[in-house]
Amino acid sequence: MSQNNDRKNRNGPNRGGQNGGNNWRGLLSLVSWALLLTIVFSYAGAWVSGSDNKSSVEITYSEFISLIESDKIAKVEFEANTGLAHITPTEGFTYTDEDGKTYGPMPKVEKAVAPAETQTPSTTNLNQLLRQKDKTDDGSFQLYTKALNDDQLISRMLEHNVDFGSPYTAPISPILEMLISYILPFAIMMLLLSLVFRIMAKRGGGMGGIGGVGSVGKANAKVYMEKSTGVTFRDVAGQDEAKESLTEIIDFLHNPQKYTEIGAKLPKGALLVGPPGTGKTLLAKAVAGEASVPFFSISGSDFVEMFVGVGASRVRDLFKEASKVAPCIVFIDEIDTIGKSRDNRMGGNDEREQTLNQLLAEMDGFDPTKGVILLAATNRPEVLDQALLRPGRFDRRIIIDRPNLAGRLATLEVHTRNIRLSEDVNLKKVALATAGTVGADLANLVNEAALRAVRLGRKAVNQGDLLAAFELVIAGTEKKGSVLTEFEKKLVAYHEVGHAMVAFKQKNTEPVQKITIVPHTQGSLGYTLLMPEEDKTELRTRDELLAKITVSMGGRAAEEVVMETMTNGASQDIQDATQVARNMVAMYGMSDEFGMMALASRRSQYLDGGYGMDCAQDTAAAMDKAVREILTECYGSAVSVIRENREDMDKVVAYLLEKETITGAEMVAIIEGRDPALVEDEYASTRQETPGIEAPAKRISMISEKIEPPAPAESTGEETSVSSTESAVEPPAEESAPQQPEAETSAPAPQVDDEHRSV
């Protein structure tokens, strides 16, 4: 408590002065705009009311006297202050001004014109008024004129029975008049402006020059106080290395004295880097949940606006608000939006550059002893500015990579925590099948499995639901209405069995899990699913890569050897094979012509994984030739496998045309002459296991004590034997060296031939 009070007292005056200046500037801007708009609208309203008032017409005083004598006036009201006479004509009277416009209703009957010998100037004008029928403006109206000092006016009005007078109006207080005329509209205008600016601030808009009015320049960060994030390390699985790196930050937020006493400083920032869906945002929330500190979450796009200066203002406001509640964690998602490298293409007034400069200044300025930790996430670290990545700003880069087998198993356990599972569920097998996936993929897989179980009317999710959901993610749902001809079905069947046969007959390939010729929604007329049976690393030998290319060529080889034709269904197979062969030549150094020479470099390794060429055009042409040689060699191997196993292929294709979907174990049973109907496991693969035999390496253990060799036996002329009761001596270390453990890195996704799109 004392530390918090000291921190509040220490930050209080500065914070109050800064907030006071910003508040006064915002209030002054708001008052100025409201006053300006009030004056404009007042004058505009007065002008509109004066110019658009068509119910009052000015006449001359002589016309006024003529109308009295003609008994055309019913009432006259005199204004005491202005001396105006407001004239109300009799019913049915019309008046035509100098422009020829007529006011008042036209009579329904034709008025007779007075004889010429009896006409007077006044009756002549009235007859002209009655003839203006085409310009009539219906409705009542008033006439007005300036009253002159006429002594006979009252007697004339009395003589012609004109009702006249001057109405009494109670005087209005000047203060009340000012309140109604100016203060009330001004207050209403301020209220409307404040509401408009507040709405714009919530929607992320800006007004450029209106600095900070209505929270325009304030950061729109979501603030999670204390443990309201609802996420801890218990909810994050498969990222043990990342959690271990962030544990020190959590410990510092809990016990800062332990580090400050020895002189250590907390890293100001940690950059979370990894592919999309690996849980970078979830891990940042878990850090805040474990540390029980406020958590500010904002996206990089929230800083960028059309108007220059708004993003920098929001960065300042974000760090100012974070310093108020320190210790806390500030998380900026997709920081590459504002942190891209500055170059000559960016102008001096570019909003993104201004925002980046302000972010760099704020990261240098905040005190590390306060405990403001900046976490940021991106999947494009190669585009970030070097000034942002240097030590002192982002001191640590934490890789959030695709989980390995143990990580996928732990992730599945987290996502199935609230899912009702049946007894036959084996999450380890699902984890093996989903090699190369990320946490978001596994969460989607579990949800799809639960939806499938409900759709089929079950109360729990079984193993079939989980594996079917995996196939749904990679190939889509089945097309119920697609109809293939017999020739097309036969062609697709040989294409898919060609992939499966090449994968089964070759070494260094993954087992075949499933073969289907049922069309799916992702454009495939069938697919062959190769699923690994063990968690392998990204390390691949040259033989494994060549085997992968050969398997991709198996479909086209079967089309040419069996059906003697070629289709565009192998387009994706050709692209995959070409990509692997190009990587072997350009980046892996596996070609005889170029050897250990890098011809390309990887671009966006956490997104598309593509690369850019770093060689001359002549070298690129020679590289294409080397790629073609690899593809030709692998295609020849695939054709040889198809020709050597033509009879087995015909049997498997016949069974596939009947069932439309078979497993790898059923294909093996057909090849070995067994009945495929006896295969019970609907997800059995072509992997051939020898049960009950344990690998020798598993019985070898490392010990630190020196092992003395046994004493030599006396020569008796006979072979010395060791009885079963005596302890056997293990072989020396150099003869049975323990196997090196495999690196726990992510494995590639299962191969799926899903490109028999059109035949």
Side-chain angles (χ1 to χ4, degrees), residues 180-410:
I180 297 175
S181 302
Y182 294 100
I183 304 299
L184 184 60
F186 177 74
I188 296 175
M189 197 63 61
M190 283 194 63
L191 181 62
L192 292 178
L193 283 175
S194 178
L195 181 61
V196 169
F197 288 145
R198 191 176 300 275
I199 294 175
M200 291 177 61
K202 288 183 179 179
R203 294 183 179 180
M207 288 295 290
I210 310 176
V213 178
S215 303
V216 172
K218 291 188 177 182
N220 300 323
K222 297 179 181 178
V223 183
Y224 301 88
M225 301 300 292
E226 301 301 330
K227 292 186 178 180
S228 59
T229 58
V231 181
T232 61
F233 279 164
R234 182 174 175 267
D235 303 307
V236 181
Q239 302 296 339
D240 296 336
E241 295 82 3
K243 290 192 292 186
E244 189 175 320
S245 300
L246 293 171
T247 303
E248 185 177 347
I249 296 178
I250 298 173
D251 188 42
F252 184 91
L253 293 174
H254 281 299
N255 305 305
Q257 306 88 357
K258 182 171 60 175
Y259 295 88
T260 56
E261 288 177 357
I262 200 174
K265 294 181 180 179
L266 179 71
K268 290 185 178 180
L271 185 65
L272 307 179
V273 179
T278 50
K280 298 182 290 294
T281 304
L282 185 67
L283 190 59
K285 288 185 177 181
V287 172
E290 290 286 340
S292 301
V293 296
F295 179 72
F296 292 80
S297 176
I298 191 170
S299 176
S301 60
D302 292 335
F303 293 107
V304 181
E305 294 291 347
M306 181 177 64
F307 302 98
V308 177
V310 176
S313 175
R314 290 181 176 175
V315 171
R316 288 191 297 269
D317 182 75
L318 175 62
F319 280 90
K320 181 180 67 176
E321 295 296 326
S323 62
K324 295 178 184 178
V325 294
C328 65
I329 294 176
V330 178
F331 175 66
I332 303 178
D333 199 6
E334 304 297 342
I335 196 174
D336 52 273
T337 305
I338 59 174
K340 288 183 179 179
S341 177
R342 295 166 292 183
D343 50 29
N344 295 330
R345 293 175 295 176
M346 297 178 63
N349 289 328
D350 186 85
E351 168 68 0
R352 186 182 293 111
E353 184 174 357
Q354 297 253 358
T355 307
L356 175 58
N357 292 336
Q358 186 62 43
L359 178 62
L360 296 177
E362 292 291 340
M363 293 187 68
D364 276 341
F366 66 84
D367 188 1
T369 60
K370 292 182 180 179
V372 178
I373 308 299
L374 180 62
L375 300 180
T378 182
N379 42 39
R380 295 194 299 167
E382 65 277 355
V383 304
L384 295 180
D385 195 270
Q386 293 300 318
L388 189 65
L389 299 177
R390 72 163 177 83
R393 291 195 175 112
F394 282 112
D395 303 280
R396 292 186 178 182
R397 176 181 293 192
I398 301 174
I399 305 300
I400 315 295
D401 210 343
R402 301 176 185 273
N404 54 16
L405 175 61
R408 293 194 301 273
L409 180 59

Side-chain angles (χ1 to χ4, degrees), residues 90-269:
T90 58
E91 186 177 356
F93 174 76
T94 59
Y95 176 78
T96 303
D97 58 10
E98 295 178 354
D99 298 332
K101 187 173 182 180
T102 301
Y103 298 89
M106 286 295 295
K108 296 182 181 180
V109 296
E110 187 72 15
K111 297 293 183 180
V113 181
E117 61 274 7
T118 61
Q119 286 184 357
T120 62
S122 60
T123 57
T124 301
N125 292 334
L126 292 175
N127 288 330
Q128 292 176 355
L129 294 175
L130 294 175
R131 292 190 182 96
Q132 301 293 332
K133 295 182 180 181
D134 55 338
K135 299 179 181 179
T136 301
D137 187 6
D138 295 336
S140 60
F141 69 101
Q142 278 190 345
L143 305 174
Y144 69 94
T145 185
K146 179 70 175 179
L148 301 179
N149 190 9
D150 188 359
D151 297 336
Q152 298 179 359
L153 179 59
I154 296 177
S155 60
R156 283 194 182 99
M157 290 189 294
L158 291 174
E159 181 180 354
H160 292 277
N161 297 323
V162 177
D163 187 11
F164 63 93
S166 179
Y168 172 77
T169 303
I172 302 177
S173 173
I175 299 177
L176 182 61
E177 184 178 1
M178 180 179 293
L179 178 64
I180 297 175
S181 302
Y182 294 100
I183 304 299
L184 184 60
F186 177 74
I188 296 175
M189 197 63 61
M190 283 194 63
L191 181 62
L192 292 178
L193 283 175
S194 178
L195 181 61
V196 169
F197 288 145
R198 191 176 300 275
I199 294 175
M200 291 177 61
K202 288 183 179 179
R203 294 183 179 180
M207 288 295 290
I210 310 176
V213 178
S215 303
V216 172
K218 291 188 177 182
N220 300 323
K222 297 179 181 178
V223 183
Y224 301 88
M225 301 300 292
E226 301 301 330
K227 292 186 178 180
S228 59
T229 58
V231 181
T232 61
F233 279 164
R234 182 174 175 267
D235 303 307
V236 181
Q239 302 296 339
D240 296 336
E241 295 82 3
K243 290 192 292 186
E244 189 175 320
S245 300
L246 293 171
T247 303
E248 185 177 347
I249 296 178
I250 298 173
D251 188 42
F252 184 91
L253 293 174
H254 281 299
N255 305 305
Q257 306 88 357
K258 182 171 60 175
Y259 295 88
T260 56
E261 288 177 357
I262 200 174
K265 294 181 180 179
L266 179 71
K268 290 185 178 180

Side-chain angles (χ1 to χ4, degrees), residues 507-559:
K507 297 180 179 180
N508 302 312
T509 59
E510 295 174 343
V512 179
Q513 179 85 22
K514 184 178 181 180
I515 311 171
T516 181
I517 57 173
V518 178
H520 285 69
T521 55
Q522 292 188 4
S524 61
L525 298 178
Y527 67 87
T528 300
L529 180 61
L530 304 180
M531 188 175 297
E533 293 288 347
E534 59 183 5
D535 191 34
K536 298 194 66 176
T537 66
E538 288 185 350
L539 187 63
R540 288 290 183 270
T541 64
R542 187 175 187 272
D543 294 336
E544 289 176 341
L545 294 176
L546 292 176
K548 184 176 182 180
I549 297 175
T550 306
V551 172
S552 298
M553 295 292 186
R556 170 58 64 86
E559 291 177 359

Side-chain angles (χ1 to χ4, degrees), residues 731-747:
E734 60 271 14
E735 295 181 3
S736 58
Q739 293 185 352
Q740 297 295 330
E742 295 182 352
E744 291 186 3
T745 54
S746 60

